[in-house]
Amino acid sequence: MTFSTMIMRGRHKQIAQSILSGKRLDGRGLTDYREIKLVTGIIESAEGSARVYLGKTDVIVGIKIGIGEPFPDLPNKGVLTVNSEFRPIASPNFRAGPPGEKSIELSRVVDRGIRESSAVDLEKLCIIPGKKVFVIFIDISILNHDGNLIDASAIASLAALLNTKFSNYEVENDEIKIKTGYTQLPVLNHPITVTVAKIEDKLVIDPSLEEERVIGAKLTITVEDSGNICAIQKSGSDYFNKQLILEAVKLTNEKIGDLRKIIVED
Amino acid sequence: MTKKPLTLINKKNIRVDGRKLDELRPIKIELNIIGNANGSAYIEQGKNKILAAVYGPKEVHPRHLALPDRALLRCQYHMSPFSVKERKRPAPSRRETEISKVIRECLSPSIFGEYYPRTSIDIYIEVLEADGGTRCSGIIAASLALADAGIPLRDLVAACAAGKVEEHLVLDLNGPEDNKGTDMPIALMPTFNAVTLLQMNGILTTDEFEQALNLAVKGCEQVYTLQKEALKARYINVKEEVEEE
């Protein structure tokens, strides 16, 4: 064992003991978020954008809208895709190259929340049924990684969608002509995502990067406007028992109000 | 071609494939079917046909990935191009990458990895034919393949999905049900009441979620019994082979 791993183990022990005693090293309670700052409409070249700071975690989401073909089984619906980039600028542990499994999981969890809650009215994005539809690209870029990337990305993605405008257009002889002026992207639902982390039998909200190294498993729960659950993802190599799962759902329901206020009423 | 049914559940609460709401699809399991692997299993669950094989514990390649205190666990879930209606491109999709990750994480708590430091245990799951709930079938087979490889396990990992289709809570969704309704796969180590995988997509109220969770746990317990039977059958075979010699 090298000296640095010995120090790391000591630090991990300290983090774990502190959480088990109901407090965290940065002074937060177990279910407190770090300070959340949200800025929207910061990238002019994007149709929509938002940047979220969750403590030192910094995530930016840009939305671009293009024109493409619909899926053959959904000819009347626009297309929505979520992609995320863990660029080396954000952390010494990120490497250049194609998306890794964590990046893919993050995109797919954010995508699931938006898709299953029908957050975007995709039918309004159909231009010529079966031929031409608007394609919405949600691109998540991590700028500084200090833990809880999923919650930060979900907040930024929804805020960016609410901030998205696309050009007016008209169809003439199967040709799309762009007109002046913009229309707000139709957003029907506001899925809110909360990640609940587990260490032994304690549940913790918004873990920092250091805490994430100690935490065995996380449950990411997305709740839509009606209060129904629309997506869940467990990750990490530890397990939950049934009681803790139900507690995590309860905790999520207590937290979504505050988050919704920050995103929707901003 | 047969006409597509308009509803997936009829008025008598019978599902498209003739099952009751809380009934599993018929499951057939066979162990030790890939000669080269250290352990392997084949499962048929309804129309799902899935192979799982375990190689290891063995030397890690590339070597820098080796862990000093435990075995490196790797998992690849892959769908054969012919396993679905439209040919699936053989390169791993984003969906397969995510499923590989959650399956690895759901099997990991069951393995005494600390017995084999600096080695790797590689799990391969190959979906030959898919009809909904392939990750659960894959987990059932993979856990048995680990046992077949003689790797010490805390428990077998059983898996089963519950969900909601046309306002009914149902167990073990098949392909059409999965496409239309809410799907919630879970994996369970029954001896510890430990849920090692939990995913959901679709809409459930908090109460429905709790009911679906209970239903899925019951499904896992049934699967667990079948897994144990399959494992026993395998060792009875071994015993007979040895006695013949």
Side-chain angles (χ1 to χ4, degrees):
Chain A
M1 199 188 296
T2 61
F3 185 61
S4 66
T5 57
M6 270 168 70
I7 292 183
M8 242 164 64
R9 290 210 177 161
R11 180 71 177 168
H12 289 172
K13 219 173 183 181
Q14 202 183 6
I15 292 170
Q17 278 168 353
S18 153
I19 286 174
L20 292 177
S21 69
K23 252 183 147 181
R24 292 157 92 168
L25 291 182
D26 57 8
R28 283 187 287 160
L30 297 188
T31 61
D32 293 340
Y33 268 94
R34 290 169 286 181
E35 191 193 356
I36 304 173
K37 269 196 291 180
L38 170 65
V39 214
T40 55
I42 40 173
I43 303 289
E44 264 184 58
S45 52
E47 276 81 1
S49 59
R51 186 167 180 177
V52 166
Y53 304 86
L54 204 52
K56 284 183 193 151
T57 289
D58 182 357
V59 172
I60 191 165
V61 169
I63 294 181
K64 292 297 294 172
I65 298 185
I67 292 169
E69 282 180 23
F71 288 112
D73 51 338
L74 298 165
N76 297 315
K77 286 192 169 181
V79 175
L80 182 116
T81 71
V82 182
N83 185 53
S84 67
E85 295 286 339
F86 288 21
R87 306 298 309 168
I89 195 172
S91 160
N93 300 322
F94 291 169
R95 293 213 168 82
E101 59 173 26
K102 280 192 178 160
S103 162
I104 289 173
E105 186 183 37
L106 177 129
S107 318
R108 287 180 59 85
V109 170
V110 172
D111 179 286
R112 215 170 285 159
I114 293 170
R115 196 176 301 280
E116 298 299 335
S117 64
S118 312
V120 180
D121 190 352
L122 293 176
E123 277 171 30
K124 291 242 168 77
L125 300 176
C126 175
I127 305 170
I128 305 164
K131 284 185 183 160
K132 289 270 184 281
V133 296
F134 284 114
V135 183
I136 303 185
F137 297 94
I138 302 179
D139 281 294
I140 301 166
S141 202
I142 313 297
L143 301 182
N144 191 55
H145 178 16
D146 190 32
N148 204 11
L149 293 179
I150 295 185
D151 289 11
S153 303
I155 295 170
S157 300
L158 179 57
L161 282 174
L162 288 169
N163 168 255
T164 301
K165 294 180 176 71
F166 62 103
S167 307
N168 290 332
Y169 67 95
E170 56 184 15
V171 180
E172 252 176 53
N173 306 326
D174 272 11
E175 294 240 332
I176 300 154
K177 281 191 177 160
I178 303 296
K179 296 201 299 181
T180 52
Y182 294 94
T183 311
Q184 192 75 31
L185 183 75
V187 176
L188 303 175
N189 205 335
H190 307 89
I192 306 290
T193 300
V194 175
T195 298
V196 183
K198 175 209 165 211
I199 174 152
E200 292 187 28
D201 59 345
K202 290 271 196 266
L203 296 178
V204 175
I205 295 263
D206 187 27
S208 66
L209 183 60
E210 230 184 2
E211 288 172 333
E212 278 183 352
R213 297 206 172 107
V214 184
I215 275 152
K218 297 189 287 183
L219 213 51
T220 300
I221 302 166
T222 306
V223 178
E224 53 164 16
D225 282 342
S226 63
N228 293 337
I229 305 167
C230 62
I232 298 180
Q233 175 90 341
K234 180 238 158 200
S235 62
S237 294
D238 197 358
Y239 55 80
F240 280 84
N241 63 31
K242 215 164 72 186
Q243 197 52 43
L244 271 183
I245 293 171
L246 298 176
E247 257 179 63
V249 171
K250 216 176 123 199
L251 192 54
T252 301
N253 281 324
E254 287 167 15
K255 288 287 159 191
I256 46 170
D258 292 345
L259 290 177
R260 185 164 280 138
K261 234 182 244 165
I262 293 171
I263 305 168
V264 180
E265 290 164 24
D266 183 61
Chain B
M1 239 176 82
T2 51
K3 219 176 112 189
K4 246 190 181 169
L6 291 171
T7 57
L8 292 171
I9 298 171
N10 72 15
K11 282 181 186 142
K12 288 176 185 162
N13 285 345
I14 299 296
R15 294 152 74 175
V16 267
D17 50 10
R19 281 185 291 158
K20 285 183 235 143
L21 297 178
D22 60 351
E23 195 179 333
L24 289 173
R25 285 174 283 185
I27 294 178
K28 204 185 98 186
I29 304 172
E30 236 175 284
L31 264 65
N32 189 34
I33 41 150
I34 296 180
N36 283 339
N38 295 94
S40 58
Y42 171 71
I43 181 168
E44 278 185 28
Q45 182 168 12
K47 286 184 205 162
N48 283 341
K49 295 182 182 67
I50 297 170
L51 274 168
V54 169
Y55 288 85
K58 61 184 177 69
E59 202 175 329
V60 188
H61 288 288
R63 268 165 115 168
H64 68 90
L65 294 176
L67 301 170
D69 56 344
R70 67 200 135 98
L72 173 74
L73 189 63
R74 290 185 288 203
C75 176
Q76 264 181 44
Y77 162 100
H78 183 252
M79 290 178 94
S80 298
F82 45 79
S83 63
V84 277
K85 269 217 169 109
E86 294 272 321
R87 176 176 186 266
K88 194 218 142 266
R89 285 158 165 269
S93 64
R94 288 156 62 93
R95 173 179 170 277
E96 285 167 294
T97 307
E98 184 204 340
I99 292 179
S100 300
K101 178 179 187 284
V102 295
I103 292 181
R104 186 188 73 228
E105 290 173 344
C106 99
L107 294 171
S108 161
S110 75
I111 300 169
F112 284 99
E114 58 272 30
Y115 289 6
Y116 305 102
R118 311 211 126 262
T119 67
S120 75
I121 298 172
D122 296 339
I123 302 165
Y124 300 99
I125 296 170
E126 186 68 28
V127 179
L128 302 175
E129 191 173 341
D131 186 38
T134 54
R135 78 195 67 185
C136 290
S137 308
I139 291 164
I140 297 168
S143 185
L144 284 168
L146 284 165
D148 187 37
I151 293 167
L153 302 176
R154 292 183 173 84
D155 198 1
L156 287 169
V157 181
C160 186
K164 190 174 153 191
V165 178
E166 292 166 359
E167 302 304 310
H168 294 280
L169 288 178
V170 294
L171 188 68
D172 187 18
L173 287 78
N174 60 27
E177 290 173 336
D178 186 3
N179 285 335
K180 208 173 169 188
T182 297
D183 183 31
M184 187 173 84
I186 77 162
L188 184 77
M189 291 198 292
T191 311
F192 301 92
N193 282 316
V195 178
T196 61
L197 176 139
L198 173 60
Q199 294 183 291
M200 189 197 99
N201 62 98
I203 307 289
L204 289 181
T205 66
T206 310
D207 287 341
E208 284 168 345
F209 169 71
E210 190 173 345
Q211 290 167 31
L213 187 60
N214 288 329
L215 187 62
V217 166
K218 272 188 199 151
C220 285
E221 281 160 1
Q222 292 175 47
V223 167
Y224 188 57
T225 314
L226 297 171
Q227 281 177 301
K228 284 193 290 191
E229 279 171 15
L231 201 53
K232 276 180 200 156
R234 158 83 176 119
Y235 284 104
I236 289 168
N237 278 344
V238 172
K239 189 172 164 255
E240 282 167 1
E241 276 168 29
V242 171
E243 281 168 356
E244 271 169 32
E245 276 167 14

